[in-house]
Amino acid sequence: MSGWEERLAAELDDLEARAEAAFDEERAEELADRVRAEYARVDLAGRLAASLGTPLTLDVVGVGMLGGRLERAGSGWVLMGRDTVEWLVFTPAVGAVLGASERSVPAVARPATARLGPASVLRAWEEEGGGCVVHRRDGARHEGVLRRVGADFVELVTAGPEHDVGPGGVPVLLPWTALAAVRRDVPG
């Protein structure tokens, strides 16, 4: 091969390497765009579903920092457990989640129970009896016994020195939109 043929071959190799590099760069940008578009579909419920069984810390409006093991996650709520206490937390009141899995579970792969609302947990607690403390987003608290659970509210019977109502207590209706979390001691 003569000198000019070697230079031409080297020039063609260089052009081919540049074209390949440009293609790789374009492909990397396209892949990054696809990854961003896919991640844009990931919701908080998916990240929480992948974190079941994991110790998490939730910063909850009106309550503060709650730590515990994520036991269940549903539509708009999570159930956290720690020692002998359970917390039903309404996810719209969650300001931050610390310790969540890097993974996500798509909606179609979540169990049917993940589509249940917070009423399912509260109805189970109502049947078991016992007291609870309902924390509102504004920081107010109501202590009492669950009486009934409606479609978008809970009825709590409270009693205290400020209420002179006898053993029946005072019924308080608390809409989901006002609630941050409900705490109860696990029966034993």
Side-chain angles (χ1 to χ4, degrees), residues 139-150:
R141 302 171 10 142
H142 300 272
E143 192 168 341
V145 177
L146 294 171
R147 182 171 178 191
R148 292 185 282 203
V149 180

Side-chain angles (χ1 to χ4, degrees), residues 115-152:
R115 289 188 289 278
L116 298 174
S120 63
V121 174
L122 291 172
R123 285 190 183 101
W125 289 4
E126 173 194 359
E127 289 174 15
E128 291 175 11
C132 66
V133 180
V134 178
H135 294 260
R136 294 189 340 213
R137 291 184 199 187
D138 64 4
R141 302 171 10 142
H142 300 272
E143 192 168 341
V145 177
L146 294 171
R147 182 171 178 191
R148 292 185 282 203
V149 180
D152 61 353

Side-chain angles (χ1 to χ4, degrees), residues 41-106:
R41 296 181 194 170
V42 172
D43 60 1
L44 179 61
R47 289 290 299 272
L48 292 171
S51 301
L52 290 176
T54 303
L56 296 179
T57 301
L58 305 178
D59 185 4
V60 182
V61 173
V63 179
M65 302 300 268
L66 296 178
R69 187 173 73 91
L70 182 60
E71 295 177 359
R72 288 177 56 195
S75 179
W77 60 274
V78 295
L79 184 64
M80 301 281 291
R82 183 174 182 181
D83 301 323
T84 60
V85 174
E86 286 183 321
W87 285 90
L88 172 67
V89 179
F90 291 75
T91 53
V94 173
V97 178
L98 291 81
S101 170
E102 288 290 322
R103 307 186 85 212
S104 176
V105 177

